[in-house]
Amino acid sequence: MTEREKQEQGEVLEKTRRKTDKPKLYKVILHNDDYTTMDFVITVLESIFKKSPSEAYRIMMHVHTRGVAIAGVYAYEVAETKVVLAQGYAKEAGHPLRCSMEPE
């Protein structure tokens, strides 16, 4: 029996919905080094990670005092893009700033 015949006979057709999972999130981590300036790290946080000046300063100080800090949490593709942009920008400026990502 086709769906059309079922509708004509008064049967109710169910439409199943696929359950979609939320995308897995990834932390973008900045690593401390002895050569990248604090001002440059703040610039990266403000321009690439869209942080406010006060938030950028707080994250930079966390990197400076503890060695690493989370710059943001994003979907995989966004996190990967931000890591590449930050490292490319640092390389152009002559800084060895290291950025990585890991699952949340």
Side-chain angles (χ1 to χ4, degrees):
M1 188 179 293
T2 67
E3 285 185 30
R4 188 167 203 49
E5 290 171 345
K6 287 181 182 180
Q7 280 181 332
E8 290 173 0
Q9 293 180 2
E11 291 185 32
V12 178
L13 297 177
E14 289 185 28
K15 194 172 196 177
T16 57
R17 290 186 184 178
R18 290 184 180 170
K19 186 176 179 181
T20 56
D21 294 331
K22 291 184 180 180
K24 193 172 183 181
L25 298 177
Y26 289 80
K27 298 182 281 190
V28 176
I29 301 168
L30 292 178
H31 301 268
N32 191 33
D33 63 68
D34 293 334
Y35 302 102
T36 304
T37 64
M38 293 179 179
D39 288 336
F40 183 77
V41 174
I42 289 173
T43 301
V44 167
L45 288 165
E46 289 176 351
S47 62
I48 294 173
F49 296 96
K50 307 300 182 205
K51 301 294 181 185
S52 67
S54 60
E55 180 76 3
Y57 180 80
R58 187 189 63 75
I59 293 169
M60 178 276 300
M61 286 306 294
H62 197 275
V63 171
H64 180 68
T65 58
R66 300 201 178 148
V68 294
I70 298 172
V73 179
Y74 308 96
Y76 180 81
E77 291 82 6
V78 176
E80 184 178 42
T81 300
K82 295 211 182 259
V83 167
V84 169
L85 287 173
Q87 289 183 326
Y89 185 52
K91 187 175 182 179
E92 283 178 15
H95 294 287
L97 180 66
R98 203 175 106 213
C99 226
S100 64
M101 59 187 261
E102 65 182 40
E104 186 177 48

